[in-house]
Amino acid sequence: MSLNKGWRFHEGDIAFPVIRGHGWTYANAKAGNAGGAAAPGFDDSEWDSVALPHDFASAQVPEQNANVAQGYRKRGIGWYRTLIRLDEADHGKHIELQLDGIATLATVWFNGTQVAHTWSGYSSLYIDLTPFATYGDALNSLVIRADADAMQGWWYEGAGIYRNTWLVKREQVHIVTDGVFAHPVYADGQWTIPLEVTLYNVRKSTQRVRVESVLVDADGKAVASFSAPADVGVLARQVVTGSMRVAAPKLWSLEERNLYSVRTRVLQDGRLLDEVVTRCGFRTQRFDPGQGFFLNDRHVKLQGVCIHQDHAGVGVAVPYGLLDYRMRRLKELGVNAIRCSHNAQDKRFYELCDELGFLVMDENRVFNPSPEHLDELTWLVRCHRNHPSIILWSVFNEEPVQGTEQGYEMVRRMVAAVRALDTSRPTTAAMNAGQFEPANAAQAVDVVGFNYQYQAYDAFHQAFPTVPMTSSEDTSAFQTRGEYVTVPDKHIFAGYDDDASSWGSTHRIGWKAVAERPFVAGAFVWTGFDYHGEPTPHEWPSNSSFFGIMDLCGFAKDAFWLHQAQWRKEPVLRLAPHWNWAGKEGQPITVMAFHNMDEVEVFLNGRSQGRQKGDIYEMNRWQVPYAPGKLAAVGYRGGKVAKRFEVETTGAPVALKLTPDRRFMLGDGLDAQPIQVEALDAKGRHVPLAQHQIVFRAEGADIIGLGNGNPNDTSSEKGDTRALFNGLAQVIVQTREGSAGILRLRASAPGLEPAVLDVEVRTARPWPYQATSAPVQILDGWRSSPPSSTPIDPNLRPAGTDMNSWGWITPGTRAKAAEQTGYMLYATDVRAFARVRKHGGRLELLEVTGPCQVFIDGRKVAEKTTGAPGPLRVAFPAGEAVSRLSVLCPLTAGQPHGLSGVVRLLSL
């Protein structure tokens, strides 16, 4: 069940109250008695309502005094609270909370008890809530404090619960989360699927069950099966192992993504207890020290990019529709491999890699074999190891101790943890130095990764000819989309691939060093997309990187066409720059062709500027005196024309144009897509210099983010207005749950004809959501007096040091029979929520067993005279003071009595 809705959010920290006094100190140390904003009864009624995923840093406008590496976005602390209603039908089930990702550290409380703390902003957290859960009207308080002051990276990391959150309800005997391992292997001429199924039992006795697994192909046909009994102990995990043989399966490859499903079921006496569907793919892989990487025994050069996970307008809270767009852009580029730098990605990312055909280097974030961080590494492997797309496990990136014995020993332990879970893929580490030291981390991994050391490839291969190697990170070149003159004072880099970092290289040098060496398995270019933060080599106002092959919006820089020409087989031909250079008539303009041609000829207004032999690594350049008109190129293969390209001088912009990524969307409240906006001249041509401020208006959908790819733009990425940058901007729209029909987006700018775009919204089934509640003050902290033979003063309180004669009770538990005739007082102090204090409210005792009298500050406000269980409802007065709520119950020996239902306070 999705738990993405029904949250209340407070930006900024809320200090815990200072604990004083005997009673308070005693109570503070007990389960369920968390204080401050973690308390179940804390007043969040006036907090903002938010839906997840939620990155509260993405709503910040860059501030010059904030952290440059984090994109000058203020981060800080955020509190999230919700109330969960579990039905009585859920009673007896195993209840698990799954938090897919919180930036950066987090503490979780459930019903006032701290149940988890996460030390990683990139790992999922699975929490067993079963022991703490209540059912029916007794709402469950879930509180999360996200600490984004803490940093684990040197890039923009976002802030808050930025990935999905789930509540999983299972039978008492079930398959644990990530509990099925079914990755096919090929050995001795035979395909098998070694199976591991991890079961858990929360029943009070050992349970005999049967595990059945069936392999199903894409057509739904059963291909192989496995079955075995298992005895699962009390509160114990039991791993069931087996295998399935498969004859002649269809292989998964970059071109043919044949995926199978393993359906694993747990049955008891013929009754289905649990079922998990695990996707898998049949493929072989190997890294050869002399020839590089092979997939299904076919050589594949890794044409890879490194990526972070944020996007313009939304930060790290990237909807699946937008993630899909980003992955398809990489596919169009010619990428066949992705490095998850430097952390696990969203779970949907790995599914898309399987579906679209990418090879993945999955990378661990924190280099530390201590128990809590080793848990993060083992989570990464256990969670992702069924994906056929994953080919490498990377244990670290650029660590100072990588060239020492200390680093070697740390890696050795981390690699052992990986191999305990998966031996079918090799390990690696992304090292920017140290591979030649006497003791170093490279000696503990299977494939050695090189960051920015292309000059050392030959020396390492000569020294260690039996060790596989790859470039794990290279290039770090600078480009600004649409710019063709480097102007350091304005933080602008030209698109000719001449500007690079001091530690890296241009795109051309980096790829040539890899492509010409068969023993280097491939490259992972830094980076596929620009990302917020790390605006190297500049600082303010630059607030995003310049490294990307594409900008923050996924718009192509010239590096896109350069790599596409090198990485794709079909004809590619593209010219840079644009051809709008008014005022430079007669002056030479550098023209660069990005291509994979034998020869390229450039023409200006029909006159040849020269025909050159193609250079796939350096590309080709001409100096062309500027004259308005048409700049064209013709590419030749085998002496014949294989590709043409042309660019024209445009007129002034007169109109706007909107172009969607997709022509239809799903009305599930989740689907989102980027829509491109550009300016056109009177002939309908894109104007590459337009910088107009655009105002957007959406009907039937919500605008959730804006961008333009300008790394020096410090304006907000939220709202309804964004400037074009060199002719382009992007607006991200998201559907509303239950919608269907037409989504209409309008873009306007002074002096330009507005653009209107209609996108079809199709009816779609929303995710199943866990029921949550609006703010309700569940009254807790109840004490019960000792029984008395005479009526008890409703104002009576226990002494501050009395931890024993007055008991602690939780309303909503079954009423018990009185041991003697007399009276008992139940009491608590109530600090009403702000809305009740302002306007008054309604006090509800949902069930009281036996007769009683209800008092507020010693004044009787209600009475129940019957013995049968029943409710009481009474007005609660407005006011700022803390009120004493007391319930006096007359006792009859042998008769049940007490607060058998929840007591709550509602605002009017």
Side-chain angles (χ1 to χ4, degrees), residues 20 142 158 167 175 205 252 273 280 289 362 389 411 454 463 490 512 515 533 545-546 558 755 787 813 842:
R20 294 188 176 92
L142 176 59
L167 203 68
I175 301 169
S205 62
W252 183 93
L273 300 182
C280 66
D362 209 8
S389 53
V411 170
Y454 66 93
K490 294 184 178 180
K512 183 178 182 180
S545 76
F546 295 86
D558 290 284
T813 56
R842 185 173 74 251

Side-chain angles (χ1 to χ4, degrees), residues 881-896:
V882 175
S883 301
R884 183 68 170 175
L885 175 61
S886 307
V887 180
L888 180 63
C889 297
L891 310 180
T892 301
Q895 296 298 313

Side-chain angles (χ1 to χ4, degrees), residues 88 213 281 351 428 433 598 602 625 679 714 831 835 858 901:
E88 289 292 348
S213 289
E351 294 175 354
T428 189
D598 296 337
V602 169
T714 60
R831 172 69 172 176
R835 292 180 183 178

Side-chain angles (χ1 to χ4, degrees), residues 698-719:
E699 300 173 13
D702 297 311
I703 296 173
I704 62 171
L706 304 162
N708 59 18
N710 182 359
N712 302 313
D713 192 334
T714 60
S715 59
S716 174
E717 294 186 4
K718 303 292 186 181

Side-chain angles (χ1 to χ4, degrees), residues 720-837:
D720 64 358
T721 182
R722 189 72 170 172
L724 295 177
F725 174 61
N726 291 338
L728 295 173
Q730 187 177 81
V731 55
I732 302 165
V733 296
Q734 188 168 47
T735 62
R736 296 168 183 162
E737 187 177 338
S739 62
I742 296 298
L743 179 166
R744 174 160 291 178
L745 181 68
R746 186 177 190 273
S748 60
L752 301 182
E753 181 181 343
V756 176
L757 173 69
D758 287 345
V759 176
E760 178 188 358
V761 178
R762 298 178 180 177
T763 301
R765 179 180 299 177
W767 283 351
Y769 288 95
Q770 169 59 41
T772 58
S773 171
V776 174
Q777 187 171 2
I778 304 295
L779 301 185
D780 55 10
W782 289 85
R783 304 291 300 271
S784 60
S785 73
S788 171
S789 59
T790 59
I792 304 171
D793 181 352
N795 292 315
L796 185 65
R797 295 172 180 267
T801 57
D802 185 355
M803 314 304 169
N804 297 296
S805 63
W806 282 65
W808 299 85
I809 72 158
T810 301
T813 56
R814 180 182 300 178
K816 295 182 179 180
E819 295 181 358
Q820 64 188 61
T821 298
Y823 296 88
M824 183 173 285
L825 184 70
Y826 302 100
T828 188
D829 290 326
V830 178
R831 172 69 172 176
F833 282 1
R835 292 180 183 178
V836 174
R837 297 199 304 270

Side-chain angles (χ1 to χ4, degrees), residues 128-187:
D128 181 3
L129 301 180
T130 315
F132 315 98
T134 59
Y135 304 88
D137 294 322
L139 301 175
N140 295 272
S141 166
L142 176 59
V143 183
I144 299 175
R145 179 184 183 268
D147 176 5
D149 276 334
M151 291 181 289
Q152 290 186 322
W154 48 97
W155 57 87
Y156 175 86
E157 296 185 277
I161 309 176
Y162 72 95
R163 290 180 183 164
N164 292 306
T165 299
W166 313 90
L167 203 68
V168 182
K169 305 171 185 179
R170 300 184 175 102
E171 293 293 333
Q172 292 181 327
V173 181
H174 59 269
I175 301 169
V176 304
T177 302
D178 303 331
V180 176
F181 185 27
H183 180 60
V185 296
Y186 185 76

